[in-house]
């Protein structure tokens, strides 16, 4: 499967506790007990993810409706990279 | 064990046993104002044992191994003449590894006007000496080593064990406290340098069950030109998770309590070059942020 075909989703919206912190966002990930300190656009990406698996392209469309994103090709690459990082941290899932 | 003592410090109760009389006698004297018991059936949160490091080591070049409910397997035995330090280290170790009732922050704390000043920093930052100094200058010493953050209320609970003075801090406090009876024996050339313990002022002990809300968090740094700088909430949060020995173990309750702490308590980095200078700077900051 190519990266373009990968579908991203979140299992349970309650598995994370998000708190604003001085322009950053704190995330407490309940299943692992790990705390993450993240900056934009990670909280926005997490908010766009749901239990419905979606490709990065459709997630980008959803984010573009709310945020001013420059350069579609570059934005898609950046989003895909963030999604893969979130999967590696256990904060998102892919199939 | 042959010699033992049950001792209450703040909310924690320790049973300290020793193969030798000396460390227990020293603890009994230095902690004379604290609740104590020699009853075998008294209940303790933690047990600390000072054991001979090997066969025959009770008499021949006696060496103390620190044991207890929680222990570090690689800890090196200490000389018996440093037995009091071994007992104190053993108690700290039990708290650091085993306490779950509060978020345990490696920080000193003092109270004035019903509000708490918390000072966090690396070893050598001056946080312990500053707390000891302020504890003689109108503040109530709450602890020189651990600040206990209440998960439910956000208050700081006292843990006013003996103040552990290291190297130059010993002379600083000898000049400040004109009462030789409040000092423990000088233990020279320990693994932590020269150490002497100071018995906290009477009020610190008599009010050791009184918690209070935090009003200011300082990150002191000794040995630098005087300076103050605001510390962001994110930076403070990161430092405090690193300064807590039970943050991970306490899970979501710790996350929520620490987030509340850093978003409601102002954080300042304070560089200073002497105790008197820090005292004046802290006085100004306290009026500004907690007055």
């Amino acid at each position: 499967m190519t990266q373009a075909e990968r579908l991203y989703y979140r299992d349970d919206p309650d598995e994370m506790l998000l708190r604003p912190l001085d322009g950053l966002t704190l995330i407490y990930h309940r299943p692992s007990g790990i705390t993450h300190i993240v900056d934009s656009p990670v909280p926005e990406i997490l908010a766009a993810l749901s239990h419905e698996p979606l490709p990065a392209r459709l997630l980008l469309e959803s984010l573009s409706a709310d945020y001013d994103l420059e350069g579609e090709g570059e934005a898609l690459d950046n989003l895909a990279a963030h999604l893969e990082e979130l999967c590696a941290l256990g904060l998102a899932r892919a199939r | 064990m042959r010699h033992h003592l049950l001792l209450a410090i703040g909310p924690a109760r320790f049973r300290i046993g020793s193969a030798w009389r000396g460390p227990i006698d020293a603890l009994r004297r230095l902690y004379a104002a604290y609740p104590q018991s020699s009853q075998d059936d008294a209940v303790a949160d933690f047990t600390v044992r000072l054991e001979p490091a090997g066969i025959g080591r009770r008499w021949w070049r006696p060496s103390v191994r620190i044991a207890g409910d929680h222990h570090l397997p690689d800890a090196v035995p200490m000389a018996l003449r440093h037995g009091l330090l071994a007992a104190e280290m053993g108690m700290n170790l039990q708290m650091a590894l085993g306490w779950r009732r509060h978020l345990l922050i490696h920080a000193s704390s003092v109270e004035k006007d019903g509000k708490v000043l918390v000072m966090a920093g690396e070893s050598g930052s001056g946080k312990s000496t500053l707390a000891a100094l302020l504890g003689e200058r109108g503040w109530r010493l709450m602890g020189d080593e651990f600040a206990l953050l209440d998960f439910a209320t956000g208050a700081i609970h006292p843990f006013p064990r003996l103040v552990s003075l290291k190297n130059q801090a010993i002379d600083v406090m000898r000049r400040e406290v004109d009462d030789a009876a409040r000092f423990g024996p000088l233990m020279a050339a320990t693994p932590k340098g020269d150490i002497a313990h100071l018995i906290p002022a009477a009020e610190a002990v008599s009010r050791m069950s009184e918690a209070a809300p935090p009003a200011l968090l300082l990150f002191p740094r000794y040995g630098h030109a005087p300076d103050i700088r605001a510390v962001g909430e994110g930076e403070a949060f990161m430092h405090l998770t690193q300064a807590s020995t039970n943050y991970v173990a306490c899970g979501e309750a710790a996350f929520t309590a620490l987030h509340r702490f850093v978003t409601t308590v102002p954080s300042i980095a304070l560089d200073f070059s002497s105790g008197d200078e820090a005292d004046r700077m802290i006085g100004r900051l306290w009026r500004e942020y907690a007055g």
Side-chain angles (χ1 to χ4, degrees):
Chain A
M1 179 187 286
T2 66
Q3 196 169 61
E5 295 167 318
R6 275 165 70 81
L7 304 175
Y8 298 94
Y9 64 102
R10 281 171 65 181
D11 263 346
D12 176 5
D14 288 336
E15 72 180 16
M16 277 181 244
L17 201 57
L18 276 73
R19 293 283 181 271
L21 188 74
D22 205 12
L24 302 170
T25 299
L26 276 182
I27 300 174
Y28 181 74
H29 185 232
R30 288 181 167 124
S32 66
I34 294 175
T35 301
H36 303 270
I37 302 180
V38 299
D39 200 354
S40 181
V42 170
E44 292 83 358
I45 294 172
L46 287 172
L49 288 167
S50 69
H51 65 277
E52 182 188 359
L54 291 173
R57 182 179 48 77
L58 285 183
L59 286 167
L60 184 65
E61 281 182 22
S62 163
L63 286 164
S64 298
D66 295 324
Y67 303 100
D68 188 16
L69 304 176
E70 290 182 14
E72 192 179 334
E74 193 182 339
L76 186 59
D77 288 345
N78 287 339
L79 176 60
H82 278 303
L83 286 165
E84 288 301 316
E85 283 174 4
L86 290 173
C87 289
L89 293 171
L91 300 179
R93 295 183 185 279
R95 67 179 197 209
Chain B
M1 295 187 80
R2 176 177 287 199
H3 309 282
H4 58 88
L5 172 69
L6 190 109
L7 186 61
I9 305 173
R13 291 159 71 90
F14 299 90
R15 180 190 301 283
I16 303 144
S18 172
W20 304 273
R21 175 186 290 277
I24 298 297
D25 283 350
L27 286 172
R28 218 183 282 283
R29 178 181 87 75
L30 293 168
Y31 281 103
Y34 295 65
Q36 295 185 14
S37 169
S38 293
Q39 300 283 315
D40 280 335
D41 56 353
V43 177
D45 296 295
F46 298 117
T47 297
V48 178
R49 296 192 307 276
L50 305 181
E51 301 173 337
I55 296 170
R57 281 302 190 98
R58 190 168 148 199
W59 297 279
W60 179 69
R61 289 174 59 193
S63 295
V64 181
R65 177 192 291 127
I66 304 170
D69 303 315
H70 305 274
H71 68 279
L72 296 174
D74 297 331
V76 177
M78 297 171 66
L80 177 57
R81 66 180 186 281
H82 299 151
L84 176 59
L85 176 61
E88 284 284 311
M89 287 172 67
M91 288 192 281
N92 281 346
L93 195 64
Q94 305 313 307
M95 285 297 284
L97 299 181
W99 193 253
R100 297 287 183 273
R101 274 184 261 162
H102 305 92
L103 182 67
L104 196 148
I105 301 170
H106 189 215
S108 63
S109 55
V110 290
E111 177 266 345
K112 191 196 266 188
D113 312 322
K115 299 170 195 167
V116 181
L117 165 65
V118 179
M119 293 180 278
E122 306 280 319
S123 183
S125 64
K127 64 181 186 302
S128 294
T129 312
L130 277 182
L133 205 60
L134 294 173
E136 304 299 321
R137 297 184 178 185
W139 298 71
R140 169 168 66 113
L141 177 76
M142 297 181 81
D144 80 319
E145 183 82 10
F146 295 129
L148 309 179
L149 177 61
D150 192 301
F151 294 122
T153 66
I156 299 292
H157 289 256
F159 183 66
R161 48 157 235 175
L162 300 178
V163 179
S164 179
L165 302 170
K166 299 183 191 73
N167 302 319
Q168 327 74 304
I170 298 170
D171 284 335
V172 169
M173 291 312 297
R174 278 181 176 155
R175 286 193 293 274
E176 189 73 21
V177 179
D178 187 25
D179 181 0
R182 284 185 53 200
F183 289 87
L186 175 68
M187 291 174 280
T190 76
K192 294 184 162 194
D194 292 349
I195 300 277
H197 290 99
L198 171 68
I199 301 171
E203 188 189 23
V205 181
S206 64
R207 297 178 60 196
M208 70 179 187
S209 60
E210 292 180 30
L216 181 61
L217 169 64
L218 289 182
F219 292 95
R221 205 166 58 132
Y222 171 68
H224 295 268
D227 191 24
I228 57 169
R229 150 183 97 77
V231 175
E233 293 172 357
E235 187 182 346
F237 187 92
M238 195 182 69
H239 282 312
L240 293 181
T241 56
Q242 290 167 348
S244 170
T245 55
N246 65 359
Y247 174 78
V248 172
C250 291
E252 187 172 332
F255 174 85
T256 302
L258 201 55
H259 176 261
R260 177 170 56 186
F261 183 95
V262 300
T263 53
T264 55
V265 177
S267 301
I268 305 284
L270 178 139
D271 288 358
F272 67 102
S273 57
S274 76
D276 290 337
E277 181 181 77
D279 186 8
R280 287 191 296 273
M281 293 169 79
I282 289 170
R284 284 196 295 272
L285 289 169
W286 191 252
R287 283 191 292 278
E288 184 176 347
Y289 289 98

